[in-house]
Amino acid sequence: MSYEVYGPYIPVIMLITFLALFVWVLNPKNKDKYDDAANMPLNEPDETDEMKPDDTEASDGRIEK
């Protein structure tokens, strides 16, 4: 089989794939999941200690002797 046989069907397959993804994204069941993902960058970390630098290491990441 070659492109001449399957070639005309490629745009139809791409259109069906696009429409299926479009319906999947707009499905109301997925709204909560997408809202949580959209707000993820705005959420603050729970512990602020993770962001403080450790005093035991030098500023360049090497351990001082």
Side-chain angles (χ1 to χ4, degrees):
M1 300 289 166
S2 64
Y3 179 75
E4 289 82 20
V5 175
Y6 293 115
Y9 300 111
I10 291 175
V12 174
I13 293 170
M14 292 174 64
L15 178 65
I16 291 170
T17 304
F18 174 77
L19 291 174
L21 287 171
F22 189 76
V23 168
W24 179 46
V25 167
L26 293 180
N27 189 355
K29 292 181 189 177
N30 296 329
K31 184 176 181 349
D32 293 334
K33 181 171 55 172
Y34 292 134
D35 286 342
D36 290 341
N39 290 327
M40 195 179 300
L42 303 175
N43 294 341
E44 294 184 15
D46 293 336
E47 297 180 14
T48 57
D49 294 335
E50 294 177 5
M51 301 188 76
K52 292 182 182 177
D54 192 9
D55 293 335
T56 60
E57 295 183 14
S59 62
D60 59 358
R62 293 185 284 178
I63 298 174
E64 295 181 21
K65 294 183 180 181

